[in-house]
């Protein structure tokens, strides 16, 4: 029964993704800027109804405010306004109504590792990211910006974030990040990319540096950093070096304790699941095939699901 329902659900999602992709593709202009997502109201409200009944149960609490009200608050923040002058404060009413209490020790921040961070968080089961909360879930991967004339939002083109300082969506994510950080409790985690030669793992002008770290409260005890590295590529930065020293200083200056790990096993296994043929994963593969000496206890049985999944 459960299987069948899951199947139907998966096919439904696939169908939605297909429809969605065609819409999104049709909205790309030659320079790659998109306009406001088509049917944004329906997408937003539909996600909201879905979240209420099927998503993140029981990891995150439900919100009392109705989906239509949330949409109105969200839409009011940017509609009928120039796209480059939306203050963070405009989204405050939405952020307050959609806010959820966050589970202690389970908040995960991330920079430049969107996909890995969400896999690692296991969609709220291991850790909770901003995109798992209702606030972020409703806005995730959609595009929006306002215009002064009807219908109040620009369907042809929205500016890129770096085109203007207070771009409609950037202001939203800034305000949302700030609110998310203010609600974190206990030990918080931060996942960073240590493999990019062009971008330090920690930057003071990242969302974490600008909006999240400065807004952590006394309810937070420790910042636990995970530096992940692309398999088979040089490790540009590791814990205790480069920008991670700056991060350690910034965290400690705010009175939190600091711990940093390079590619903990859970993360390494996730990376290997996506790229099992990489040189760095071959050791694990050989081990599983019994080609290396090991005690029987360590060797996973065939088809046994390891508990880090
Ligand atoms: C939509 O945005 C584009 C790009 O900024 C702009 O040229 C156009 O005038 C906007 N449309 C309206 C109706 O404001
Ligand atoms: C939260 O972050 C914002 C943006 O950096 C900053 O202006 C504000 O002072 C911070 N709030 C607190 C309580 O530190
Ligand atoms: C495994 O152990 C045996 C005996 O201890 C040894 O002869 C063999 O070379 C080892 N194999 C590997 C791959 O280390």
């Amino acid at each position: 029964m459960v299987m069948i329902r899951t199947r139907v659900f998966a096919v439904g999602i696939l169908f939605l993704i297909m429809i969605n992709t065609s819409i999104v593709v049709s909205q790309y202009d030659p320079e790659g800027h998109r306009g406001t997502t088509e049917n944004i109201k329906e997408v937003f409200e539909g996600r909201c109804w879905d979240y209420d009944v099927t998503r993140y149960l029981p990891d995150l609490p439900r919100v009392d405010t109705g989906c239509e009200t949330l949409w109105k608050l969200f839409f009011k923040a940017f509609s009928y306004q120039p796209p480059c002058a939306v203050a963070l404060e405009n989204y405050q009413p939405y952020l307050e109504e959609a806010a959820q209490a966050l589970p202690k020790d389970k908040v995960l921040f991330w920079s430049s590792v969107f996909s890995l961070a969400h896999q690692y968080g296991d969609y709220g089961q291991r850790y909770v990211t901003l995109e798992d909360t209702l606030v972020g879930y409703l806005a995730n991967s959609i595009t929006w910006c306002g215009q002064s004339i009807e219908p109040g939002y620009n369907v042809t083109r929205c500016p890129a974030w770096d085109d203007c300082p207070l771009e409609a969506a950037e202001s939203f994510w800034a305000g949302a990040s700030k609110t998310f950080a203010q609600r974190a409790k206990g030990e918080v985690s931060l996942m960073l990319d240590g493999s990019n030669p062009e971008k330090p793992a920690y930057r003071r002008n990242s969302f974490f540096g600008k909006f999240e770290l400065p807004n952590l409260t006394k309810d937070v005890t420790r910042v636990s950093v995970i530096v992940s590295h692309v398999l088979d590529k040089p490790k540009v930065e590791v814990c205790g070096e480069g920008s991670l020293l700056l991060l350690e200083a910034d965290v400690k200056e705010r009175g939190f304790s600091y711990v940093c790990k390079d590619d903990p096993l859970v993360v390494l296994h996730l990376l290997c699941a996506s790229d099992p043929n990489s040189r760095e994963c071959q050791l694990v593969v050989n081990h599983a095939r019994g080609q290396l000496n090991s005690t029987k206890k360590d060797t996973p049985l065939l088809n046994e699901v390891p508990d880090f999944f």
Side-chain angles (χ1 to χ4, degrees):
M1 188 60 180
V2 172
M3 266 290 267
I4 292 166
R5 287 180 50 181
T6 313
R7 277 267 173 104
V8 171
F9 189 61
V11 171
I13 294 264
L14 193 65
F15 186 56
L16 281 178
I17 289 170
M18 284 161 70
I19 295 178
N20 201 31
T21 310
S22 64
I23 290 169
V24 169
V25 169
S26 72
Q27 279 177 342
Y28 275 105
D29 74 9
E31 286 167 68
H33 290 273
R34 280 177 288 172
T36 301
T37 302
E38 223 168 298
N39 304 314
I40 186 170
K41 178 177 191 283
E42 288 73 19
V43 171
F44 185 100
E45 288 188 4
R47 284 179 173 187
C48 177
W49 286 106
D50 181 26
Y51 193 101
D52 190 43
V53 293
T54 73
R55 304 282 161 172
Y56 301 96
L57 294 161
D59 302 304
L60 288 166
R62 306 298 93 184
V63 165
D64 289 335
T65 309
C67 293
E68 266 178 61
T69 307
L70 292 177
W71 164 254
K72 281 183 187 145
L73 294 172
F74 179 77
F75 188 60
K76 190 159 186 270
F78 70 90
S79 54
Y80 298 98
Q81 295 167 54
C84 279
V86 180
L88 270 63
E89 292 71 32
N90 283 22
Y91 291 102
Q92 204 55 36
Y94 166 72
L95 295 174
E96 275 165 26
E97 288 299 318
Q100 293 154 296
L102 302 176
K104 189 166 175 273
D105 300 330
K106 286 186 104 180
V107 164
L108 173 64
F109 302 102
W110 57 271
S111 279
S112 309
V113 283
F114 180 91
S115 170
L116 184 63
H118 292 99
Q119 285 177 52
Y120 178 58
D122 200 6
Y123 304 92
Q125 294 193 54
R126 191 184 289 118
Y127 291 103
V128 171
T129 64
L130 173 56
E131 296 73 27
D132 295 318
T133 67
L134 184 64
V135 161
Y137 186 89
L138 301 184
N140 198 11
S141 33
I142 60 177
T143 305
W144 68 90
C145 64
Q147 66 185 24
S148 48
I149 56 170
E150 285 295 332
Y153 56 94
N154 191 324
V155 294
T156 52
R157 196 179 151 119
C158 291
W161 287 15
D162 44 16
D163 287 351
C164 49
L166 289 170
E167 195 275 320
E170 187 177 13
S171 287
F172 168 78
W173 289 109
S177 300
K178 180 175 148 180
T179 316
F180 182 62
Q182 283 167 342
R183 293 175 165 261
K185 294 187 190 70
E187 177 171 319
V188 300
S189 303
L190 165 66
M191 186 181 259
L192 301 173
D193 175 13
S195 292
N196 189 340
E198 260 114 60
K199 218 173 180 191
Y202 169 64
R203 287 157 287 120
R204 279 184 172 159
N205 67 357
S206 65
F207 269 49
F208 181 77
K210 250 162 78 180
F211 304 111
E212 293 172 332
L213 181 57
N215 281 287
L216 294 176
T217 70
K218 296 276 164 266
D219 290 338
V220 170
T221 50
R222 177 151 89 157
V223 177
S224 170
V225 178
I226 291 163
V227 184
S228 69
H229 298 94
V230 178
L231 295 166
D232 294 353
K233 289 269 159 62
K235 293 177 175 39
V236 178
E237 286 188 312
V238 295
C239 292
E241 284 180 13
S243 68
L244 295 158
L245 284 171
L246 181 65
L247 174 60
E248 178 168 4
D250 286 356
V251 165
K252 287 185 171 166
E253 196 194 308
R254 295 188 178 271
F256 309 118
S257 72
Y258 173 90
V259 59
C260 184
K261 281 188 200 132
D262 295 297
D263 306 306
L265 268 185
V266 181
V267 171
L268 192 63
H269 282 109
L270 287 171
L271 293 168
C272 285
S274 306
D275 187 8
N277 293 324
S278 67
R279 185 184 49 79
E280 287 180 71
C281 300
Q282 282 301 310
L283 198 63
V284 181
V285 173
N286 292 341
H287 180 81
R289 286 185 188 143
Q291 290 170 8
L292 293 178
N293 283 337
S294 61
T295 59
K296 211 166 187 173
K297 192 169 115 296
D298 290 344
T299 310
L301 297 170
L302 208 60
N303 293 333
E304 185 185 50
V305 180
D307 60 5
F308 43 77
F309 290 114

